[in-house]
Amino acid sequence: MSNINPNRSFRKQILTHILDWYTNCGRSLPWRQKSDPYRVWLSEVMLQQTQVDTVIPYYLRFLSRFPDIKTLAEAPLGDVLKAWENLGYYRRAHNLHQAAGVIMERFSGRVPETMDDLMALPGVGSYTAAAILSIAFGKAAAAVDSNIRRIICRLFAIAEAPEEPAVQERIAAYAQFLVPTDGRAGSFNQALMDLGATVCTARSPRCDACPIRHACIARAQGKQDVLPLKTKKRAVPQRRGVAGILLDGEGRVLVVQRPKQGLLASLWKFPGGMLEGDESPETGLQRTVKDELGLHVKPEKSVAIIKHAYTHFRLILHVWSCRHGDGSVQALQCQQWKWVSPKNLSGLPFSKADSMVISTLPFLAKKKRNAAGCGKRHAGATAS
C-alpha cells in the first residue's frame, strides 16, 4: 500500500464516520428497499456507465415487466430489448437475459454467492460481483467503481494515473482494507458510492460536508481538485451513415432486424449502413441496402440529418426517402425484415438514432408518394 500504512484505529474512524454519514445522508433509491440479489444485480447492470436519475424509471419499468429471474429468463430477447430501449449499451441487456438463463439452469434460479460463480455469468465483472456479494449477501468484498476510486485516490493522495494496472491494484487493496467484515460491507460500499456522487465529486468537491475530511491526505495537501490525475481524452472519431425510408403501397415502412452480434445487436432499424470515405448518401444507400437486402432502391430526397453520440464514435445519420427498384427483399445481412405500419413500430425495439428516424415518418405520410412497385408482396415478407 505505497508508503502509507493505515492502522486499525484509522480504519475504525473511517468506518464509523462513513456509516454514520450514510445513515443520515445516504440516497433513497428504489433498489435499496430490499436486498434481493436479483434487484441488486439488475440495478448494478443498469448503473454501468449510466446516471442514477436516468436509471430509476427504467429500473422500475423493467422490474414491473420482469419481476424475477425466471420471468426474465423465459422472456423473448426482443421483449427484453424493448424494455431496455433508449437506455443504451444494449450488450448489457443481452448479457442480463443470457445470465438469467444460466442462473435458472445451473443455480436453480438463485443468484450465486461466490465471486467465481458470479464472474462466470455473462456481463458480470469484478465490480458487479463484489457489489452483489456485499450488498445482497453482506460479504466483505470491496466494490470499486469510479466514485470509490476517486475517494481512495484523494484519501490516500495517490498521485499516479488510476488507469495504470499497478495503481488499480493499490486502490483495490486500500478499498479492501477499509471494507468492514461484520456484515456491513454493503452499506459501506453504498456509502462511498453516495459520497462520491454527492460530496467527493469529480469537480469542486464539497470537502466541508465530507465526513472523512480530517483523514483525507489530498485535502491536507490542497490537492483535492487535482486528484485523481486526469488522463488526456482521445479524440472521438466521427462516422457517417445512411438510413432509407421505403414505403409500400399500403403506407407500411420496411424495417430490418440487426444481426445477433455487433453494435446494437438484434435491435430493429431502417435499411442502410455506414458510408465509406467520401461516399455520398445516395450512393451509400444503394450499396448498403443491396448488401443488406439484395434490393435495388432509388433515393428520392434527403429527409433529415440525425446526430447521435455512441461510446467510441459520433454518428451523423443521413435519412433519405427512397423507392423500390429491381430485386426482391432477402435477409442477407440481417436476421429478418418486415413491412410495418408506422403506428405499430412502437412494438419493436429501436436504438435512439432509429427512434429519431421514426419521428420523420408523420412528415412523409403527408406527402403524396409514388409507390409504384412497392405494393408487391415479396416472398418471406411479414406484415404488422
Side-chain angles (χ1 to χ4, degrees), residues 114-115 118-119 124-134 141:
T114 70
M115 180 67 74
L118 283 168
M119 290 187 64
V124 176
S126 58
Y127 164 75
T128 302
I132 294 170
L133 289 175
S134 62

Side-chain angles (χ1 to χ4, degrees), residues 13-309:
Q13 290 181 29
I14 294 291
L15 290 180
T16 299
H17 291 306
I18 284 288
L19 291 171
D20 285 349
W21 178 87
Y22 183 61
T23 299
N24 297 314
C25 303
R27 292 176 293 182
S28 176
L29 300 173
W31 44 86
R32 292 178 178 173
Q33 295 174 3
K34 295 181 180 179
S35 59
D36 171 48
Y38 170 61
R39 297 184 180 210
V40 174
W41 171 40
L42 174 61
S43 68
E44 290 299 335
V45 172
M46 286 189 162
L47 287 165
Q48 293 169 10
Q49 297 179 290
T50 308
Q51 296 293 323
V52 167
D53 289 344
T54 300
V55 165
I56 289 175
Y58 280 93
Y59 170 83
L60 294 173
R61 286 196 298 267
F62 197 96
L63 193 62
S64 176
R65 176 65 180 82
F66 309 107
D68 51 47
I69 293 175
K70 183 175 185 294
T71 306
L72 176 60
E74 294 176 350
L77 175 61
D79 290 356
V80 177
L81 292 175
K82 183 63 183 178
W84 200 275
E85 190 175 42
N86 293 332
L87 187 57
Y89 303 99
Y90 289 90
R91 177 50 52 189
R92 296 180 296 174
H94 283 265
N95 288 334
L96 194 70
H97 184 247
Q98 186 179 354
V102 173
I103 291 173
M104 290 301 301
E105 181 179 345
R106 291 185 50 197
F107 301 102
S108 302
R110 297 176 63 86
V111 175
E113 299 183 35
T114 70
M115 180 67 74
D116 288 344
D117 285 340
L118 283 168
M119 290 187 64
L121 297 175
V124 176
S126 58
Y127 164 75
T128 302
I132 294 170
L133 289 175
S134 62
I135 299 171
F137 300 112
K139 297 189 177 183
V144 183
D145 69 351
S146 59
N147 284 319
I148 294 179
R149 186 177 299 112
R150 185 188 319 114
I151 292 172
I152 296 295
C153 281
R154 288 172 175 165
L155 185 61
F156 296 105
I158 298 176
E160 299 167 75
E163 293 80 13
E164 294 295 327
V167 180
Q168 290 183 8
E169 290 182 9
R170 289 169 55 200
I171 292 171
Y174 277 127
Q176 190 61 50
F177 168 78
L178 292 174
V179 73
T181 58
D182 58 1
R184 297 183 296 169
S187 294
F188 179 73
N189 283 332
Q190 291 178 105
L192 288 183
M193 294 173 195
D194 284 8
L195 188 67
T198 63
V199 176
C200 193
T201 51
R203 295 188 181 89
S204 302
R206 300 189 300 117
C207 293
D208 290 345
C210 180
I212 55 174
R213 59 187 180 275
H214 301 300
C216 181
I217 299 174
R219 179 175 180 268
Q221 296 177 351
K223 296 180 178 179
Q224 66 270 26
D225 290 315
V226 298
L227 294 180
L229 294 182
K230 299 174 180 62
T231 55
K232 186 176 181 180
K233 293 184 178 180
R234 295 181 179 179
V236 180
Q238 183 172 281
R239 301 177 66 182
R240 298 161 60 239
V242 64
I245 298 178
L246 182 64
L247 301 176
D248 71 0
E250 299 175 25
R252 298 175 304 177
V253 63
L254 182 63
V255 293
V256 300
Q257 188 178 25
R258 297 173 186 266
K260 294 181 180 180
Q261 301 295 328
L263 180 68
L264 306 174
S266 293
L267 293 182
W268 288 80
K269 73 179 192 73
F270 294 87
M274 293 298 178
L275 299 177
E276 298 177 347
D278 295 329
E279 187 177 38
S280 70
E282 301 98 308
T283 301
L285 181 61
Q286 292 175 315
R287 175 183 59 81
T288 55
V289 174
K290 180 67 166 58
D291 291 344
E292 188 173 51
L293 297 169
L295 181 67
H296 292 277
V297 295
K298 299 178 180 179
E300 287 188 313
K301 183 180 180 181
S302 174
V303 175
I305 297 177
I306 291 170
K307 297 181 180 180
H308 185 64

Side-chain angles (χ1 to χ4, degrees), residues 352-367:
K352 182 67 173 179
D354 285 294
S355 295
M356 289 189 277
V357 176
I358 293 175
S359 68
T360 68
L361 296 180
F363 168 77
L364 288 177
K366 296 177 182 178
K367 300 294 182 180

